Amino acid sequence: MILVSSANGAIGIDGVWKHFSEGLDALSAVERATWFVEDNEEDNSVGRGGLPNLDGEVELDASIMDGTTRSAGAVAGLKGYRHPISVARAVMEISPHVLIVGEGAARFAKEIGAERADLLTEKAAKIWREGLESLPEGLSGEILKKAKALTQDPDKAVGTVNFLAIDSKGKMASAVSTSGWAWKWPGRAGDSPVIGAGNYCDARFGAAACTGFGELSLRASTARTIVSYLSQGATPEEAGVRALLDLKDLDVDPSSMIMHSVIIGADGSHAAVSTDEKALYAWRDESCSSTQIERRIHVAV
Ligand code: GLY
């Protein structure tokens, strides 16, 4: 039995651990753990409190995957709903689809009676306005160039939460939720809602999920690649290191080379890797009396 998350997910592990240790299944555990982060206004990369897009609107991406059946559900560019992860779960369980975006996602959320929320906090709006002050008036190539510089400021633009779980019956699940890059182009979808890029779970081998610049994991299918390496016999650490090294050849500005992955193996072993030497992750299993925060393995790319 184990729960692993990006460091900002520690509140979610704390929040669900009692129920998880008493038998809550892996899928519900990763969904409910995500709720805590989606409700955490101090986290400006997930749910309410997330930083908005270029137009000042908070657009949420989320995905969830059941490793036993490899069923998956996701939403992208969802506006106005408190728990995008639960809308993603409903996409998986109620609809015949895997990914629903934009207005269609909002219409689906309304149909299932998902809870609405005002996602933009004053704090997030202030950060957004301050960034925009550096932009020229009106839409032009110039605005795109400056917006690109803003969205590539790693202190402000990136974040996301990942959860991976194996429950007491050996079922495995993964969840990812994010407001994506701050000042992103309206309608931009990152890796978080894309199964294989930001999230992948296959109970036969393991699971992986990503945070960081989603454009990298979208191009390299990072989560799926990690699980492929697990399927070939790599440990979680080896699989994560190899997948991050795979990014080395991508043609990107070095300041955008930011990727972090959390990984579990089918046997409950776990690891986390990062291009940032200070990045942390969180985990807890039945041997621990509290959530553990640990340094990720640094991969220089
Ligand atoms: N990894 C989150 C994003 O790029 O949107």
Side-chain angles (χ1 to χ4, degrees):
M1 218 177 73
I2 184 158
L3 260 169
V4 175
S5 75
S6 45
N8 57 343
I11 56 164
I13 298 182
D14 290 344
V16 298
W17 186 262
K18 184 172 179 299
H19 297 297
F20 189 53
S21 62
E22 288 170 359
L24 184 72
D25 63 282
L27 196 61
S28 298
V30 294
E31 179 192 14
R32 291 192 203 177
T34 304
W35 290 348
F36 285 87
V37 191
E38 290 175 340
D39 280 343
N40 179 11
E41 291 181 18
E42 295 307 309
D43 190 321
N44 61 18
S45 68
V46 182
R48 181 170 153 77
L51 294 176
N53 67 12
L54 208 47
D55 286 343
E57 291 186 296
V58 182
E59 288 184 327
L60 303 176
D61 297 344
S63 65
I64 193 161
M65 189 160 183
D66 177 338
T68 311
T69 58
R70 274 174 282 154
S71 306
V75 287
L78 177 64
K79 292 183 218 166
Y81 286 88
R82 181 178 172 193
H83 291 307
I85 196 66
S86 298
V87 183
R89 182 169 179 174
V91 170
M92 176 175 84
E93 291 180 338
I94 301 174
S95 88
H97 307 303
V98 169
L99 172 60
I100 303 182
V101 308
E103 284 177 19
R107 193 167 143 198
F108 180 81
K110 187 174 175 199
E111 288 289 336
I112 62 165
E115 187 179 349
R116 289 194 59 82
D118 179 5
L119 300 170
L120 185 63
T121 59
E122 274 186 29
K123 188 177 156 202
K126 183 167 179 287
I127 296 172
W128 171 77
R129 266 194 310 275
E130 284 168 2
L132 273 198
E133 276 159 19
S134 66
L135 296 179
E137 292 284 312
L139 290 178
S140 66
E142 190 58 17
I143 208 169
L144 265 181
K145 251 194 280 168
K146 296 219 172 161
K148 186 173 170 218
L150 276 175
T151 60
Q152 289 179 335
D153 176 348
D155 289 338
K156 293 197 182 125
V158 292
T160 295
V161 71
N162 300 155
F163 287 100
L164 310 176
I166 301 176
D167 65 25
S168 53
K169 297 201 170 90
K171 303 252 185 208
M172 188 184 290
S174 58
V176 179
S177 184
T178 190
S179 49
W181 288 17
W183 303 283
K184 66 189 173 185
W185 193 260
R188 174 265 185 187
D191 61 328
S192 306
V194 176
I195 297 301
N199 185 359
Y200 200 73
C201 186
D202 181 337
R204 296 173 300 169
F205 310 117
C210 303
T211 58
F213 280 107
E215 273 64 6
L216 299 174
S217 35
L218 277 166
R219 288 164 68 187
S221 303
T222 301
R224 177 72 179 93
T225 299
I226 291 172
V227 176
S228 288
Y229 289 145
L230 292 173
S231 78
Q232 292 162 20
T235 63
E237 175 175 342
E238 289 163 352
V241 169
R242 277 179 72 185
L244 259 52
L245 288 174
D246 285 344
L247 304 177
K248 214 171 179 147
D249 296 340
L250 295 184
D251 174 26
V252 286
D253 184 308
S255 65
S256 307
M257 189 52 92
I258 298 173
M259 184 49 54
H260 326 277
S261 304
V262 288
I263 306 132
I264 51 175
D267 60 356
S269 54
H270 60 92
V273 291
S274 175
T275 54
D276 171 358
E277 49 195 332
K278 295 202 187 107
L280 304 171
Y281 78 114
W283 65 277
R284 184 166 179 178
D285 66 16
E286 61 265 58
S287 71
C288 311
S289 56
S290 62
T291 302
Q292 309 294 300
I293 304 286
E294 249 181 60
R295 185 68 60 93
R296 293 176 188 242
I297 296 149
H298 176 229
V299 184
V301 286

